[in-house]
Amino acid sequence: MTIKVGLASDHRGVHIKARLLQTLQREGFDVCDEGTDTTDPVDYPDFAIRVAQQIRDGKLDRGVLICGTGIGMAIVANKFHGVRAASCYDEVIVEMSRRHNDVNVLCLPGDLIGERPVDELVLMWLRTEFESGRHSQRVDKITAIDSSDTPDINRGV
């Protein structure tokens, strides 16, 4: 099964996004480019929304969002039901975000990633499976919070 991946960035991640688009297509992923394509200043929420909505609606399996720190994109994406987004910047965090948290939207810090091999980080993330087991119970609790109006810590899941 081909993984459907949405890519989006603001102006601070446009160059990384362009490189990732080529890499992911070359590696056989079904990629949807949701912008931006310019270095002119834009608002990152406008682009995070495009990918997060498609994750929520089941049109995409995963998303990769890039802004200056990755934090703003993660905040926006996590507003959508069914989205588990995390800002990641190294191999350990990228791998654990998938293995333990079943993160479906990877948010990258365009300004902070430096010369790290970002293509390899993203490919690692896309190829890492969720471990399930004891982690499933935890992700289920997150999903329950996502589905309720007000989480009740005394109620449990």
Side-chain angles (χ1 to χ4, degrees):
M1 178 179 111
T2 302
I3 297 174
K4 294 178 185 173
V5 182
L7 287 180
S9 71
D10 68 2
H11 55 285
R12 291 163 63 184
V14 70
H15 298 298
I16 292 172
K17 182 183 66 76
R19 192 170 85 209
L20 285 175
L21 180 63
Q22 291 179 353
T23 297
L24 297 181
Q25 288 174 333
R26 185 177 59 246
E27 293 291 323
F29 292 94
D30 183 1
V31 184
C32 178
D33 183 353
E34 291 295 338
T36 188
D37 296 319
T38 178
T39 56
D40 295 338
V42 296
D43 296 329
Y44 64 82
D46 298 337
F47 297 93
I49 287 168
R50 293 178 184 184
V51 171
Q53 284 177 330
Q54 290 184 71
I55 297 282
R56 178 199 63 201
D57 296 343
K59 294 177 182 174
L60 293 172
D61 302 307
R62 306 260 187 93
V64 178
L65 303 173
I66 310 146
C67 65
T69 64
I71 296 169
M73 290 285 207
I75 290 169
V76 173
N78 279 317
K79 299 290 184 185
F80 289 82
H81 178 77
V83 172
R84 290 175 305 284
S87 180
C88 300
Y89 51 86
D90 68 19
E91 293 84 356
V92 173
I93 302 294
V94 163
E95 184 176 359
M96 291 299 102
S97 76
R98 285 290 309 137
R99 288 196 190 284
H100 292 187
N101 305 108
D102 200 18
V103 164
N104 55 11
V105 177
L106 175 64
C107 301
L108 296 170
D111 290 349
L112 308 174
I113 205 106
E115 295 302 313
R116 288 193 181 116
V118 69
D119 299 24
E120 292 304 315
L121 282 177
V122 172
L123 289 172
M124 172 190 283
W125 181 76
L126 288 168
R127 293 175 175 151
T128 299
E129 296 293 326
F130 176 51
E131 282 184 359
S132 196
R134 71 181 193 266
H135 304 293
S136 288
Q137 177 180 330
R138 296 164 184 163
V139 171
D140 289 347
K141 288 182 178 187
I142 294 168
T143 302
I145 293 167
D146 191 30
S147 300
S148 68
D149 291 332
T150 307
D152 182 351
I153 61 169
N154 297 314
R155 182 182 69 213
V157 177

